[in-house]
Amino acid sequence: MTEGESDDRDGTNGTDRSVVGRRRLLRTGANVGLCGVLVLGVGADYVTPDGLGEITYAMARPEPDSSDLEPRRKPVPADWHEEIRNAFAVQQRLEELELSPLLDSFVVPGTFDEPRASLSVSATDAGVEERLESIADPTPIDVEVLDELPAAPEAAAESPEPYQLSELDPEAIPGGVVCETGDGVATLASALFEADGDSRFFATSNHLYGALGTKEIDHRGEPLSVLADDESYHVGDVERGYPLADVVTVAPHDGYRPSASIERASPSQVIGQYTKVGLAELAAREEPLSKLGAMTNETSGRIEGIDGVTCFTGEVCRPGQFRWGDEDAFTDGDSGSIAFHADEDDPEDSLLVAGINNARTWWPGADFVWGTAGYHLLEEYGLHF
């Protein structure tokens, strides 16, 4: 079974459309303690009455090997900020409706010149529009109705050779390279840290381990390998999966160590991640994200939506999603890759993570890559890049 096959079955191959009616949004309780302080305390944003406000746009580590996080702040126009805050509130109300025809919903930030934010929603029933009217004010909601979501295409018979390291440094294994299990191949993410501890993990997409990405502890102890010079190295064993984020953490094995870096990126050093409003600010400036996948190498594209919920795959809806670029930016085997942007405080040496890429569209009228945002991993699971 290849990673692509797993991704297809996690989509709609062999899946009756009646499944959509059974999907529901599952909420996970936010971690308390240090993680809650980071997200809700020093990570909070605010606006002053003088036309400019200040947001915490990123949480970054003061040193590359540190597991601590510090807030990065910057001013933004107050009218833009008010628009995006309203849009986040409307999105929250939409999630609370738990509409069964929902396929996805995303906040679409405005620019600083045209600050009006909106919501983009797709559903399988036009009747959803009436329900949305009650929550739309003051944020407009654009609704697309699909009669059905077609099955995802089968993985291509031929695929490009995945990128592997020419030589493995056991103490610094970067993201952006091919990794594998007995079930298939994907892309290794950069190191994932515990917010309230010193642990760092290898990470990739949970669906690499089969079962449509639903495993949480059933695959604990299963190996993850990295290829280098056509040799396979067993670098770690599964700690646990996070089905709603489609992320798996892998504890390092036998002295191997994940690096907070992305192979072939320039710069390559990962120093932290964007907050939710930080992603909105990046979109407002029309700054692109980039990724380096094991299959498609480097691709880039603009942010298309944040603070999203997707119900395209599996039998539950996934919160904390972001979307960007187009479907040509991603293919089978790129799952687990990191979407990133240069750190504006240190653009020559550091990167900030938007999130982890898990899937791409396959149906007419939609054209983007999506995955779980880094801020959501921190807020819900106490993990960060």
Side-chain angles (χ1 to χ4, degrees):
M1 176 168 58
T2 68
E3 186 270 341
E5 289 171 340
S6 174
D7 191 49
D8 285 344
R9 286 200 300 274
D10 197 25
T12 55
N13 277 0
T15 303
D16 189 278
R17 290 308 308 150
S18 63
V19 169
V20 172
R22 299 198 302 272
R23 287 174 177 150
R24 57 197 174 93
L25 179 65
L26 297 184
R27 306 184 192 283
T28 55
N31 287 285
V32 296
L34 176 60
C35 178
V37 171
L38 289 172
V39 177
L40 302 177
V42 297
D45 52 89
Y46 63 90
V47 174
T48 57
D50 60 0
L52 283 179
E54 187 174 80
I55 63 168
T56 297
Y57 72 90
M59 301 298 293
R61 290 175 282 113
E63 300 293 337
D65 282 335
S66 173
S67 61
D68 297 327
L69 289 174
E70 295 180 347
R72 295 273 188 86
R73 297 188 176 98
K74 68 189 310 184
V76 294
D79 58 347
W80 174 87
H81 188 270
E82 183 65 16
E83 284 284 341
I84 200 67
R85 286 168 63 93
N86 287 336
F88 289 154
V90 172
Q91 172 74 335
Q92 178 63 36
R93 293 197 292 271
L94 187 154
E95 291 181 24
E96 292 169 354
L97 290 177
E98 296 189 353
L99 301 175
S100 62
L102 184 76
L103 290 175
D104 77 349
S105 65
F106 283 91
V107 171
V108 181
T111 65
F112 292 150
D113 291 335
E114 298 181 5
R116 190 67 181 271
S118 64
L119 262 62
S120 171
V121 174
S122 59
T124 56
D125 185 349
V128 75
E129 296 182 62
E130 293 184 8
R131 297 288 306 277
L132 296 180
E133 288 179 358
S134 64
I135 65 169
D137 189 58
T139 300
I141 301 179
D142 299 319
V143 181
E144 179 182 14
V145 177
L146 302 175
D147 292 333
E148 62 178 0
L149 193 65
E154 296 288 345
E158 296 184 6
S159 60
E161 284 294 318
Y163 180 85
Q164 57 178 289
L165 294 165
S166 58
E167 184 178 355
L168 188 76
D169 179 355
E171 296 184 355
I173 301 175
V177 303
V178 66
C179 60
E180 62 179 3
T181 69
D183 288 326
V185 300
T187 299
L188 190 68
S190 58
L192 202 55
F193 296 82
E194 281 186 328
D196 56 356
D198 295 326
S199 296
R200 68 165 68 189
F201 300 100
F202 294 105
T204 188
S205 293
N206 199 40
H207 70 251
L208 179 62
Y209 288 89
L212 312 183
T214 60
K215 292 181 181 178
E216 186 170 349
I217 59 173
D218 291 347
H219 52 338
R220 178 172 290 165
E222 291 190 25
L224 179 78
S225 298
V226 170
L227 293 176
D229 194 25
D230 292 327
E231 293 289 333
S232 181
Y233 295 85
H234 172 201
V235 299
D237 300 305
V238 170
E239 179 75 12
R240 64 162 292 180
Y242 298 87
L244 290 184
D246 196 7
V247 170
V248 61
T249 52
V250 176
H253 163 79
D254 198 24
Y256 291 107
R257 189 169 187 261
S259 172
S261 64
I262 299 174
E263 178 76 0
R264 298 166 289 159
S266 181
S268 62
Q269 180 68 58
V270 173
I271 202 67
Q273 61 196 41
Y274 289 98
T275 63
K276 181 167 66 175
V277 72
L279 279 180
E281 193 272 342
L282 199 64
R285 293 191 286 116
E286 300 181 309
E287 287 290 317
L289 298 177
S290 297
K291 78 102 182 64
L292 278 153
M295 296 298 182
T296 55
N297 297 313
E298 184 170 14
T299 56
S300 62
R302 285 171 49 179
I303 299 169
E304 302 292 338
I306 61 173
D307 192 28
V309 174
T310 62
C311 309
F312 300 124
T313 58
E315 295 189 9
V316 296
C317 298
R318 292 185 170 112
Q321 304 291 289
F322 73 109
R323 68 184 189 189
W324 67 279
D326 57 50
E327 60 189 48
D328 290 337
F330 185 95
T331 194
D332 299 320
D334 287 335
S335 294
S337 61
I338 297 300
F340 59 86
H341 188 276
D343 175 11
E344 63 189 80
D345 280 7
D346 190 13
E348 299 299 319
D349 295 317
S350 302
L351 302 174
L352 290 170
V353 169
I356 188 167
N357 302 307
N358 290 321
R360 68 190 184 281
T361 55
W362 64 86
W363 58 96
D367 191 15
F368 54 84
V369 177
W370 79 89
T372 301
Y375 71 80
H376 186 75
L377 290 177
L378 175 60
E379 184 175 345
E380 294 294 332
Y381 306 113
L383 299 169
H384 65 87
F385 292 100

